[in-house]
PDB file of all heavy atoms in Angstrom:
ATOM      1  N   ILE A  25      31.088 -25.893 115.963  1.00  0.00           N
ATOM      2  CA  ILE A  25      29.712 -26.151 116.370  1.00  0.00           C
ATOM      3  C   ILE A  25      29.280 -27.479 115.781  1.00  0.00           C
ATOM      4  O   ILE A  25      29.618 -27.808 114.636  1.00  0.00           O
ATOM      5  CB  ILE A  25      28.766 -25.004 115.925  1.00  0.00           C
ATOM      6  CG1 ILE A  25      27.362 -25.229 116.482  1.00  0.00           C
ATOM      7  CG2 ILE A  25      28.745 -24.842 114.421  1.00  0.00           C
ATOM      8  CD1 ILE A  25      26.439 -24.044 116.309  1.00  0.00           C
ATOM      9  N   ILE A  26      28.555 -28.257 116.570  1.00  0.00           N
ATOM     10  CA  ILE A  26      28.061 -29.564 116.131  1.00  0.00           C
ATOM     11  C   ILE A  26      26.629 -29.392 115.644  1.00  0.00           C
ATOM     12  O   ILE A  26      25.774 -28.896 116.383  1.00  0.00           O
ATOM     13  CB  ILE A  26      28.130 -30.588 117.280  1.00  0.00           C
ATOM     14  CG1 ILE A  26      29.578 -30.747 117.768  1.00  0.00           C
ATOM     15  CG2 ILE A  26      27.562 -31.930 116.852  1.00  0.00           C
ATOM     16  CD1 ILE A  26      29.711 -31.629 119.000  1.00  0.00           C
ATOM     17  N   GLU A  27      26.369 -29.827 114.408  1.00  0.00           N
ATOM     18  CA  GLU A  27      25.057 -29.660 113.799  1.00  0.00           C
ATOM     19  C   GLU A  27      24.539 -30.988 113.259  1.00  0.00           C
ATOM     20  O   GLU A  27      25.329 -31.891 112.965  1.00  0.00           O
ATOM     21  CB  GLU A  27      25.118 -28.644 112.652  1.00  0.00           C
ATOM     22  CG  GLU A  27      25.461 -27.234 113.089  1.00  0.00           C
ATOM     23  CD  GLU A  27      25.441 -26.267 111.916  1.00  0.00           C
ATOM     24  OE1 GLU A  27      25.772 -26.715 110.794  1.00  0.00           O
ATOM     25  OE2 GLU A  27      25.085 -25.097 112.117  1.00  0.00           O
ATOM     26  N   PRO A  28      23.217 -31.113 113.098  1.00  0.00           N
ATOM     27  CA  PRO A  28      22.685 -32.303 112.421  1.00  0.00           C
ATOM     28  C   PRO A  28      23.209 -32.378 110.985  1.00  0.00           C
ATOM     29  O   PRO A  28      23.459 -31.346 110.352  1.00  0.00           O
ATOM     30  CB  PRO A  28      21.164 -32.077 112.442  1.00  0.00           C
ATOM     31  CG  PRO A  28      20.934 -31.061 113.521  1.00  0.00           C
ATOM     32  CD  PRO A  28      22.152 -30.208 113.570  1.00  0.00           C
ATOM     33  N   SER A  29      23.387 -33.583 110.478  1.00  0.00           N
ATOM     34  CA  SER A  29      23.882 -33.730 109.114  1.00  0.00           C
ATOM     35  C   SER A  29      22.864 -33.228 108.089  1.00  0.00           C
ATOM     36  O   SER A  29      23.230 -32.812 106.995  1.00  0.00           O
ATOM     37  CB  SER A  29      24.240 -35.187 108.832  1.00  0.00           C
ATOM     38  OG  SER A  29      23.125 -36.029 109.054  1.00  0.00           O
ATOM     39  N   ARG A  30      21.599 -33.254 108.439  1.00  0.00           N
ATOM     40  CA  ARG A  30      20.566 -32.673 107.569  1.00  0.00           C
ATOM     41  C   ARG A  30      19.295 -32.438 108.352  1.00  0.00           C
ATOM     42  O   ARG A  30      19.017 -33.120 109.343  1.00  0.00           O
ATOM     43  CB  ARG A  30      20.281 -33.578 106.361  1.00  0.00           C
ATOM     44  CG  ARG A  30      19.993 -35.019 106.681  1.00  0.00           C
ATOM     45  CD  ARG A  30      19.737 -35.848 105.445  1.00  0.00           C
ATOM     46  NE  ARG A  30      19.779 -37.272 105.739  1.00  0.00           N
ATOM     47  CZ  ARG A  30      19.334 -38.209 104.914  1.00  0.00           C
ATOM     48  NH1 ARG A  30      18.805 -37.860 103.756  1.00  0.00           N
ATOM     49  NH2 ARG A  30      19.408 -39.489 105.236  1.00  0.00           N
ATOM     50  N   THR A  31      18.546 -31.453 107.914  1.00  0.00           N
ATOM     51  CA  THR A  31      17.245 -31.134 108.489  1.00  0.00           C
ATOM     52  C   THR A  31      16.202 -31.301 107.400  1.00  0.00           C
ATOM     53  O   THR A  31      16.370 -30.798 106.283  1.00  0.00           O
ATOM     54  CB  THR A  31      17.220 -29.701 109.035  1.00  0.00           C
ATOM     55  OG1 THR A  31      18.250 -29.568 110.036  1.00  0.00           O
ATOM     56  CG2 THR A  31      15.877 -29.386 109.669  1.00  0.00           C
ATOM     57  N   ILE A  32      15.133 -32.017 107.698  1.00  0.00           N
ATOM     58  CA  ILE A  32      14.138 -32.386 106.693  1.00  0.00           C
ATOM     59  C   ILE A  32      12.774 -31.847 107.106  1.00  0.00           C
ATOM     60  O   ILE A  32      12.365 -31.989 108.268  1.00  0.00           O
ATOM     61  CB  ILE A  32      14.071 -33.914 106.529  1.00  0.00           C
ATOM     62  CG1 ILE A  32      15.429 -34.450 106.094  1.00  0.00           C
ATOM     63  CG2 ILE A  32      12.984 -34.321 105.546  1.00  0.00           C
ATOM     64  CD1 ILE A  32      15.522 -35.948 106.143  1.00  0.00           C
ATOM     65  N   GLU A  33      12.095 -31.228 106.163  1.00  0.00           N
ATOM     66  CA  GLU A  33      10.715 -30.791 106.362  1.00  0.00           C
ATOM     67  C   GLU A  33       9.793 -31.839 105.763  1.00  0.00           C
ATOM     68  O   GLU A  33       9.839 -32.116 104.565  1.00  0.00           O
ATOM     69  CB  GLU A  33      10.480 -29.426 105.719  1.00  0.00           C
ATOM     70  CG  GLU A  33      11.242 -28.295 106.407  1.00  0.00           C
ATOM     71  CD  GLU A  33      10.864 -26.934 105.870  1.00  0.00           C
ATOM     72  OE1 GLU A  33      10.276 -26.861 104.762  1.00  0.00           O
ATOM     73  OE2 GLU A  33      11.140 -25.931 106.560  1.00  0.00           O
ATOM     74  N   VAL A  34       8.976 -32.451 106.604  1.00  0.00           N
ATOM     75  CA  VAL A  34       8.089 -33.532 106.178  1.00  0.00           C
ATOM     76  C   VAL A  34       6.777 -32.923 105.694  1.00  0.00           C
ATOM     77  O   VAL A  34       6.099 -32.206 106.435  1.00  0.00           O
ATOM     78  CB  VAL A  34       7.829 -34.513 107.337  1.00  0.00           C
ATOM     79  CG1 VAL A  34       6.834 -35.584 106.916  1.00  0.00           C
ATOM     80  CG2 VAL A  34       9.145 -35.137 107.796  1.00  0.00           C
ATOM     81  N   ARG A  35       6.426 -33.226 104.439  1.00  0.00           N
ATOM     82  CA  ARG A  35       5.186 -32.744 103.836  1.00  0.00           C
ATOM     83  C   ARG A  35       4.435 -33.924 103.237  1.00  0.00           C
ATOM     84  O   ARG A  35       4.986 -34.991 103.029  1.00  0.00           O
ATOM     85  CB  ARG A  35       5.471 -31.711 102.742  1.00  0.00           C
ATOM     86  CG  ARG A  35       6.338 -30.552 103.191  1.00  0.00           C
ATOM     87  CD  ARG A  35       6.665 -29.619 102.028  1.00  0.00           C
ATOM     88  NE  ARG A  35       7.651 -28.633 102.394  1.00  0.00           N
ATOM     89  CZ  ARG A  35       7.368 -27.475 102.981  1.00  0.00           C
ATOM     90  NH1 ARG A  35       6.101 -27.175 103.230  1.00  0.00           N
ATOM     91  NH2 ARG A  35       8.329 -26.627 103.307  1.00  0.00           N
ATOM     92  N   ALA A  36       3.159 -33.672 102.931  1.00  0.00           N
ATOM     93  CA  ALA A  36       2.344 -34.683 102.265  1.00  0.00           C
ATOM     94  C   ALA A  36       2.563 -34.593 100.760  1.00  0.00           C
ATOM     95  O   ALA A  36       2.681 -33.512 100.207  1.00  0.00           O
ATOM     96  CB  ALA A  36       0.869 -34.484 102.601  1.00  0.00           C
ATOM     97  N   ALA A  37       2.640 -35.752 100.101  1.00  0.00           N
ATOM     98  CA  ALA A  37       2.806 -35.767  98.651  1.00  0.00           C
ATOM     99  C   ALA A  37       1.527 -35.385  97.936  1.00  0.00           C
ATOM    100  O   ALA A  37       1.554 -34.966  96.788  1.00  0.00           O
ATOM    101  CB  ALA A  37       3.263 -37.149  98.191  1.00  0.00           C
ATOM    102  N   SER A  38       0.384 -35.524  98.609  1.00  0.00           N
ATOM    103  CA  SER A  38      -0.900 -35.152  98.028  1.00  0.00           C
ATOM    104  C   SER A  38      -1.740 -34.466  99.098  1.00  0.00           C
ATOM    105  O   SER A  38      -1.530 -34.651 100.297  1.00  0.00           O
ATOM    106  CB  SER A  38      -1.627 -36.388  97.485  1.00  0.00           C
ATOM    107  OG  SER A  38      -1.819 -37.343  98.513  1.00  0.00           O
ATOM    108  N   GLU A  39      -2.666 -33.671  98.652  1.00  0.00           N
ATOM    109  CA  GLU A  39      -3.518 -32.936  99.587  1.00  0.00           C
ATOM    110  C   GLU A  39      -4.458 -33.896 100.307  1.00  0.00           C
ATOM    111  O   GLU A  39      -4.971 -34.847  99.717  1.00  0.00           O
ATOM    112  CB  GLU A  39      -4.329 -31.887  98.819  1.00  0.00           C
ATOM    113  CG  GLU A  39      -5.168 -30.987  99.713  1.00  0.00           C
ATOM    114  CD  GLU A  39      -5.942 -29.953  98.914  1.00  0.00           C
ATOM    115  OE1 GLU A  39      -6.375 -30.289  97.793  1.00  0.00           O
ATOM    116  OE2 GLU A  39      -6.117 -28.829  99.398  1.00  0.00           O
ATOM    117  N   GLY A  40      -4.674 -33.661 101.588  1.00  0.00           N
ATOM    118  CA  GLY A  40      -5.574 -34.525 102.333  1.00  0.00           C
ATOM    119  C   GLY A  40      -5.714 -34.082 103.778  1.00  0.00           C
ATOM    120  O   GLY A  40      -4.917 -33.288 104.294  1.00  0.00           O
ATOM    121  N   LEU A  41      -6.731 -34.606 104.415  1.00  0.00           N
ATOM    122  CA  LEU A  41      -6.994 -34.315 105.826  1.00  0.00           C
ATOM    123  C   LEU A  41      -6.117 -35.215 106.693  1.00  0.00           C
ATOM    124  O   LEU A  41      -6.035 -36.426 106.463  1.00  0.00           O
ATOM    125  CB  LEU A  41      -8.472 -34.558 106.139  1.00  0.00           C
ATOM    126  CG  LEU A  41      -9.008 -33.979 107.457  1.00  0.00           C
ATOM    127  CD1 LEU A  41      -9.023 -32.459 107.402  1.00  0.00           C
ATOM    128  CD2 LEU A  41     -10.406 -34.511 107.730  1.00  0.00           C
ATOM    129  N   ILE A  42      -5.450 -34.624 107.668  1.00  0.00           N
ATOM    130  CA  ILE A  42      -4.577 -35.399 108.549  1.00  0.00           C
ATOM    131  C   ILE A  42      -5.431 -36.220 109.504  1.00  0.00           C
ATOM    132  O   ILE A  42      -6.243 -35.687 110.251  1.00  0.00           O
ATOM    133  CB  ILE A  42      -3.639 -34.471 109.348  1.00  0.00           C
ATOM    134  CG1 ILE A  42      -2.720 -33.703 108.399  1.00  0.00           C
ATOM    135  CG2 ILE A  42      -2.810 -35.288 110.331  1.00  0.00           C
ATOM    136  CD1 ILE A  42      -1.837 -32.688 109.100  1.00  0.00           C
ATOM    137  N   GLU A  43      -5.250 -37.537 109.452  1.00  0.00           N
ATOM    138  CA  GLU A  43      -6.010 -38.434 110.322  1.00  0.00           C
ATOM    139  C   GLU A  43      -5.323 -38.593 111.675  1.00  0.00           C
ATOM    140  O   GLU A  43      -5.958 -38.542 112.720  1.00  0.00           O
ATOM    141  CB  GLU A  43      -6.167 -39.793 109.641  1.00  0.00           C
ATOM    142  CG  GLU A  43      -7.047 -40.769 110.389  1.00  0.00           C
ATOM    143  CD  GLU A  43      -7.233 -42.065 109.612  1.00  0.00           C
ATOM    144  OE1 GLU A  43      -8.141 -42.109 108.763  1.00  0.00           O
ATOM    145  OE2 GLU A  43      -6.456 -43.019 109.850  1.00  0.00           O
TER     146      GLU A  43
END
Side-chain angles (χ1 to χ4, degrees):
I25 186 170
I26 301 174
E27 295 183 328
S29 57
R30 51 181 166 166
T31 301
I32 300 170
E33 293 187 343
V34 176
R35 306 176 189 274
S38 58
E39 185 179 35
L41 195 68
I42 297 176
E43 185 176 274

